[in-house]
């Protein structure tokens, strides 16, 4: 085997490098884009890298890059959305803000739930009917956000004899609505009986004995 001369070796090398296996060494679009960008950058700094013009050019480039990044973020994720304001209903409140039903309407809903065997709904609607009735009679100011226990405690002033009944009903309401307890039939009936007794009872004058037009339910 003879050793090729310089010209022959160069020809063989060029032939070998021209094969497809060496395609990865060819210039890519990234190489061309990078070279174009560097050439453009060089055209902006004719005074050299240490000149004030060079610093200003870098600042302009940084701003442009920042703008591009912001645009890309907006395009990919959309404009920032303002978070909706949380509901104004107090999580411990008896009524939702949009619940404007009368005491009779709520009491009817409680009775319907009791007949349907929906004990938990009967408890909730039964205490709401009790609370709305107190408000309609101007006996207890049921302000937005008022809790079941606060309403029950305030109602013991005009109805001291029903204090235990009122607190039992408020505890049942809180257990169903906020603790996820499934009410049973006896609990539902106690709450509806409490609503009936409060509705029938006459408020006592300050310092006077309690009076009622109907039976009360023991705690």
């Amino acid at each position: 085997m003879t050793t090729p001369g310089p010209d022959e070796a160069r020809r063989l090398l060029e032939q070998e490098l021209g094969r497809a296996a060496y395609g990865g060494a060819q210039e890519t679009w990234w190489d061309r884009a990078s070279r174009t960008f560097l050439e453009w950058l060089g055209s902006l700094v004719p005074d050299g890298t240490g000149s004030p013009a060079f610093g200003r050019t870098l600042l302009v480039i940084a701003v442009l890059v920042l703008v591009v990044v912001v645009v890309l973020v907006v395009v990919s994720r959309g404009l920032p959305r303002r978070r909706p304001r949380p509901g104004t209903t107090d999580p411990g409140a008896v009524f939702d803000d949009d619940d404007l039903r009368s005491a009779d309407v709520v009491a009817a809903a409680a009775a319907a739930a009791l007949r349907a065997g929906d004990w938990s709904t009967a408890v909730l609607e039964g205490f709401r009917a009790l609370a709305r009735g107190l408000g309609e009679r101007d006996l207890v100011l049921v302000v937005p956000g008022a809790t079941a226990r606060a309403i029950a405690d305030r109602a013991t002033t005009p109805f001291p004899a029903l204090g235990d009944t009122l607190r039992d009903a408020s505890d049942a309401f809180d257990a169903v609505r906020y603790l996820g307890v499934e009410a049973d039939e006896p609990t539902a009936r106690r709450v509806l009986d409490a609503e009936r007794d409060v509705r029938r009872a006459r408020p006592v004058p300050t310092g006077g004995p309690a009076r009622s037009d109907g039976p009360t339910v023991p705690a």
Side-chain angles (χ1 to χ4, degrees):
M1 181 177 178
T2 60
T3 302
D7 294 337
E8 180 66 15
R10 180 176 179 180
R11 185 185 65 79
L12 292 175
L13 179 60
E14 291 176 350
Q15 181 180 355
E16 179 67 20
L17 293 176
R19 294 182 180 180
Y22 295 93
Q26 297 177 357
E27 186 180 49
T28 65
W29 68 269
W30 175 253
D31 297 329
R32 292 191 296 271
S34 300
R35 186 178 66 254
T36 302
F37 176 77
L38 292 175
E39 291 174 353
W40 171 77
L41 181 61
S43 67
L44 296 178
V45 290
D47 298 331
T49 58
S51 67
F54 180 74
R56 289 194 297 269
T57 301
L58 289 182
L59 179 60
V60 171
I61 294 174
V63 172
L64 291 175
V65 170
L66 180 60
V67 171
V68 171
V69 171
V70 171
V71 171
L72 291 177
V73 171
V74 171
V75 170
S76 61
R77 299 187 178 182
L79 292 173
R81 296 180 179 179
R82 184 173 57 183
R83 292 184 178 181
R85 295 177 61 187
T88 55
T89 300
D90 190 314
V94 171
F95 294 100
D96 294 330
D97 288 346
D98 57 353
D99 190 347
L100 303 177
R101 296 174 297 168
S102 67
D104 290 342
V105 171
V106 184
L114 186 69
R115 290 192 300 270
D118 188 352
W119 318 127
S120 294
T121 298
V123 166
L124 297 176
E125 298 290 57
F127 190 84
R128 287 173 178 143
L130 185 157
R132 184 55 51 83
L134 290 169
E136 291 177 352
R137 295 166 69 184
D138 293 328
L139 297 173
V140 173
L141 181 60
V142 183
V143 298
T147 63
R149 175 47 68 96
I151 293 172
D153 289 342
R154 293 168 188 165
T156 59
T157 298
F159 304 113
L162 298 177
D164 290 341
T165 299
L166 289 162
R167 283 185 284 270
D168 176 70
S170 70
D171 290 344
F173 178 91
D174 287 341
V176 171
R177 188 172 191 190
Y178 305 115
L179 300 180
V181 175
E182 292 292 334
D184 53 17
E185 182 177 2
T187 302
R189 291 191 178 279
R190 285 202 314 273
V191 174
L192 267 66
D193 288 346
E195 187 278 327
R196 178 202 62 199
D197 292 342
V198 171
R199 173 166 36 87
R200 293 179 177 179
R202 294 179 181 176
V204 300
T206 303
R211 297 175 58 188
S212 172
D213 294 335
T216 61
V217 179

